[in-house]
Amino acid sequence: MELRARTPAGAVLVACAERLADDLAAGAATRDRERSYPFAGLRLLQRAGYFAAPVPEEVGGIGVGSVHDTVVASSRLARGDASLAIGVNMHLVVVLNLARRWQMARAAGNVRRERAFGTSLRAIASGRVVMAAALSEPGQDLTRPATRAERTGAGWRIDGQKIFCTMSPAATVLVTSVGFRGEDGAERYGYVEIPVDTPGVTVNDDWDALGMRSSGSHSVSFQNVELPAGALRGGFPAGELAPYVERNLPSGLFHASASLGIAEAAFTHTARADRIGDDARARMLVAESAVDLATARAAIARAAMLIDEHHAANPAGPGPEDEIIAVFAEGQAAKTYVNEAATRVVDRALALSGGAGYLNGSPLARAYRDVRAGAFMHPLGANRAYGFLSDVALGRPYDLR
């Protein structure tokens, strides 16, 4: 039984993702081989209004406010082309965060912030904005970006290097994490939206990986990038976990949604009675994958619903710090399990396919490589997830360095 949307707006988005997945699948093998970006598929998504899905109806969007429903739609999209889906996911995480900020400002009666976030959301609702997340850095401390924003007479200067900037070939805006000093001189963490065509921004054509080969996850360089004074405001104290986590509650589940979609497609491709027959070993592989898929769906759905419940219980603010950490930990446990279970499902599918799945150009060969990417995606990659989850469970101090 597949995951289903829980809201009417979410059901529309999931149905849209299912239709688009079929179109995105065409040519995916060629793009994978050529390492070319699926611009045509991205235009299909734009025409369908997919990039504006989480924007509230009041500011021109479709109004899919449920993290659960957006994650379900993303898993469907990944069945067609996971390389494109992971970039779309980065965009959707940012839009969900902006929508959450707009809703909190509205509930708190903060007209200035409501208007500011509303302006950004209306621009996204126009369909012309495609955002790529420029967040990852080599050897990074997740709560202390090495990319710097320095004050100038006219505003800010941005310098730094980002990696794994997925969907960067098609982006109009790079949402970039920066470290900067506040008015009091204290170190802070902030986000800036940098138009890709800003002087000093270079998207490097250097993505050549084992899997997700057409995701356009290039590195990006910022050298003397000038931004106006209003481009960076507020932020939060660098090194503090709760503010970072609160802004990234759904991020891990979107990474997991791609893994789930890949696994579901691989299972459907091979788990057919006409192929399996009465072979005992093959039937065991199918049963083991059925167990993994059922459990993965349950885990990701529960974690997403916990985020929706947390947002509903805290309409005007982020909520208690201990609750934020607990909800984030549940999401990371789900992400870690789904990534690993999906890999097992794809491995079994390849075994069931025989030699056909081993050939380059086979969707199973591509799935075998693509599904392994989820384990490296922050927040949190598996190398940090296990340490963080054990610290939370044992009541020990934790950080994300």
Side-chain angles (χ1 to χ4, degrees), residues 9 25 37 51 64 131 137 142 145 160 163 174 188 217 254 259 303 306 314 334 342 356 372 379 390 396:
Y37 192 79
F51 287 99
V64 185
M131 295 182 292
E137 298 172 338
L142 292 175
I163 56 176
L174 301 173
R188 299 186 71 79
S217 301
F254 277 96
S259 298
L306 286 174
N314 299 279
R372 284 161 164 74
S390 67
R396 293 175 175 170

Side-chain angles (χ1 to χ4, degrees), residues 264-347:
E264 288 175 326
F267 183 75
T268 300
H269 187 79
T270 54
R272 304 197 313 268
D274 61 319
R275 292 181 57 90
I276 302 304
D278 291 324
D279 182 276
R281 174 58 177 160
R283 292 177 66 191
M284 178 63 75
L285 293 176
V286 170
E288 289 173 342
S289 289
V291 171
D292 271 339
L293 282 175
T295 312
R297 286 166 174 158
I300 197 171
R302 176 180 178 273
M305 286 188 286
L306 286 174
I307 297 173
D308 284 339
E309 291 168 5
H310 174 79
H311 288 169
N314 299 279
E321 182 173 319
D322 59 344
E323 184 175 318
I324 291 169
I325 299 299
V327 173
F328 181 73
E330 292 287 347
Q332 291 305 310
K335 174 191 182 293
T336 302
Y337 179 81
V338 172
N339 288 156
E340 294 176 355
T343 300
R344 293 194 295 269
V345 171
V346 173
D347 287 356

Side-chain angles (χ1 to χ4, degrees), residues 10 29 36 81 88 101 127 157 203 226 235 249 262 272 276 290 298 300:
S36 58
D81 187 343
V88 176
R101 259 67 204 154
R157 187 187 72 247
V203 177
E226 300 288 340
L249 280 180
I262 294 168
R272 304 197 313 268
I276 302 304
I300 197 171

Side-chain angles (χ1 to χ4, degrees), residues 215-265:
S215 66
S217 301
H218 304 301
S219 67
V220 177
S221 304
F222 302 102
Q223 186 172 11
N224 296 324
V225 175
E226 300 288 340
L227 297 178
L232 178 58
R233 298 183 185 277
F236 56 89
E240 290 197 6
L241 185 61
Y244 170 83
V245 162
E246 192 271 330
R247 288 162 174 80
N248 286 278
L249 280 180
S251 298
L253 298 184
F254 277 96
H255 298 326
S257 74
S259 298
L260 178 60
I262 294 168
E264 288 175 326

Side-chain angles (χ1 to χ4, degrees), residues 13-380:
L13 183 65
V14 171
C16 177
E18 288 176 341
R19 292 193 302 271
L20 290 167
D22 291 336
D23 293 327
L24 297 178
T30 300
R31 293 191 296 272
D32 173 75
R33 186 164 50 251
E34 297 176 349
R35 196 174 59 91
S36 58
Y37 192 79
F39 289 101
L42 183 132
R43 288 191 289 271
L44 286 175
L45 291 165
Q46 287 178 302
R47 285 198 292 271
Y50 203 92
F51 287 99
V55 176
E57 291 181 289
E58 296 91 330
V59 284
I62 297 175
V64 185
S66 167
V67 170
H68 173 276
D69 291 358
T70 315
V71 166
V72 172
S74 292
S75 71
R76 298 289 206 277
L77 207 64
R79 295 178 185 179
D81 187 343
S83 285
L84 178 56
I86 62 169
V88 176
N89 286 349
M90 309 296 184
H91 171 99
L92 293 177
V93 167
V94 175
V95 181
L96 282 166
N97 198 26
L98 289 172
R100 168 75 171 147
R101 259 67 204 154
W102 177 83
Q103 289 158 346
M104 285 195 297
R106 197 182 200 196
N110 190 326
V111 176
R112 183 189 64 80
R113 284 177 63 82
E114 179 187 351
R115 186 179 298 118
F117 286 118
T119 298
S120 295
L121 290 167
R122 286 189 179 89
I124 295 166
S126 72
R128 295 188 297 271
V129 176
V130 177
M131 295 182 292
L135 307 177
S136 295
E137 298 172 338
Q140 74 185 126
D141 177 339
L142 292 175
T143 63
R144 296 179 184 275
T147 298
R148 298 296 304 172
E150 301 290 348
R151 298 178 190 275
T152 67
W156 298 91
R157 187 187 72 247
I158 312 298
D159 292 282
Q161 182 84 7
K162 300 291 186 178
I163 56 176
F164 301 133
C165 190
T166 303
M167 202 168 63
S168 53
T172 62
V173 173
L174 301 173
V175 179
T176 307
S177 58
V178 296
F180 70 103
R181 293 200 175 276
E183 297 287 353
D184 60 356
E187 189 66 22
R188 299 186 71 79
Y189 184 123
Y191 296 98
V192 289
E193 296 182 10
I194 305 177
V196 173
D197 58 3
T198 304
V201 175
T202 303
V203 177
N204 305 298
D205 184 13
D206 56 4
W207 178 246
D208 187 11
L210 174 69
M212 298 292 186
R213 288 179 54 77
S214 60
S215 66
S217 301
H218 304 301
S219 67
V220 177
S221 304
F222 302 102
Q223 186 172 11
N224 296 324
V225 175
E226 300 288 340
L227 297 178
L232 178 58
R233 298 183 185 277
F236 56 89
E240 290 197 6
L241 185 61
Y244 170 83
V245 162
E246 192 271 330
R247 288 162 174 80
N248 286 278
L249 280 180
S251 298
L253 298 184
F254 277 96
H255 298 326
S257 74
S259 298
L260 178 60
I262 294 168
E264 288 175 326
F267 183 75
T268 300
H269 187 79
T270 54
R272 304 197 313 268
D274 61 319
R275 292 181 57 90
I276 302 304
D278 291 324
D279 182 276
R281 174 58 177 160
R283 292 177 66 191
M284 178 63 75
L285 293 176
V286 170
E288 289 173 342
S289 289
V291 171
D292 271 339
L293 282 175
T295 312
R297 286 166 174 158
I300 197 171
R302 176 180 178 273
M305 286 188 286
L306 286 174
I307 297 173
D308 284 339
E309 291 168 5
H310 174 79
H311 288 169
N314 299 279
E321 182 173 319
D322 59 344
E323 184 175 318
I324 291 169
I325 299 299
V327 173
F328 181 73
E330 292 287 347
Q332 291 305 310
K335 174 191 182 293
T336 302
Y337 179 81
V338 172
N339 288 156
E340 294 176 355
T343 300
R344 293 194 295 269
V345 171
V346 173
D347 287 356
R348 295 187 195 110
L350 189 62
L352 288 168
S353 74
Y358 193 70
L359 298 175
N360 275 328
S362 163
L364 288 177
R366 187 170 71 255
Y368 180 84
R369 291 180 282 106
D370 286 351
V371 77
R372 284 161 164 74
F376 302 101
M377 295 180 181
H378 279 308
L380 296 171

